[in-house]
Amino acid sequence: HVQLVESGGASVQAGESLTLSCSASGSPMVYTCMGWFRQAPGKEREGVAAFDGNGNTDYAESVKGRFTISQGNAKNTVYLQMNTLKPEGTAMYYCAAKTSCGSAWSSYGQYRYWGQGTQVTVS
């Protein structure tokens, strides 16, 4: 079982930066694919970025060049550095884990474990 806890959400102005953190505990080593998703009110949950534990990353087209997903030195924390935030980035951001990423990294239905979410508001 894996527990995921997100933090770092805040209200910011457009153009500013923010870093989200996801701390994993329990038995996280089996679930090497860590993904960040976001869901705005009335919209479907969408994949933002994923990290496979081997340095490989994937990003949604809408955030490429602005967001960076990375793993902490302790290996149980994943970060999402978000630069040049836009109002359309306002959403609840979730961290999720599954055994491997692959081409379906953005399919939220394949992730087994989820955090409670952290709110990001961009105005």
Side-chain angles (χ1 to χ4, degrees):
H1 188 69
V2 178
Q3 297 84 41
L4 303 174
V5 179
E6 304 96 333
S7 61
S11 294
V12 297
Q13 298 292 314
E16 292 184 342
S17 299
L18 198 62
T19 299
L20 305 182
S21 300
C22 173
S23 179
S25 61
S27 302
M29 297 308 294
V30 176
Y31 301 92
T32 56
C33 179
M34 301 296 292
W36 280 100
F37 289 76
R38 64 187 179 188
Q39 187 166 21
K43 293 189 176 182
E44 190 172 322
R45 190 169 297 191
E46 63 171 346
V48 176
F51 178 87
D52 72 355
N54 293 317
N56 299 309
T57 57
D58 286 288
Y59 297 93
E61 286 296 325
S62 60
V63 305
K64 278 184 179 178
R66 298 187 298 118
F67 288 16
T68 302
I69 187 171
S70 63
Q71 188 177 48
N73 292 333
K75 305 291 184 182
N76 65 338
T77 303
V78 176
Y79 301 100
L80 184 68
Q81 170 70 38
M82 304 184 293
N83 297 326
T84 319
L85 281 162
K86 302 178 181 180
E88 51 264 41
T90 294
M92 185 71 78
Y93 284 70
Y94 297 91
C95 175
K98 64 173 181 173
T99 53
S100 63
C101 288
S103 60
W105 69 269
S106 61
S107 298
Y108 63 83
Q110 295 189 10
Y111 284 77
R112 181 168 183 178
Y113 296 104
W114 291 84
Q116 82 290 349
T118 186
Q119 178 68 38
V120 173
T121 302
V122 186
S123 59

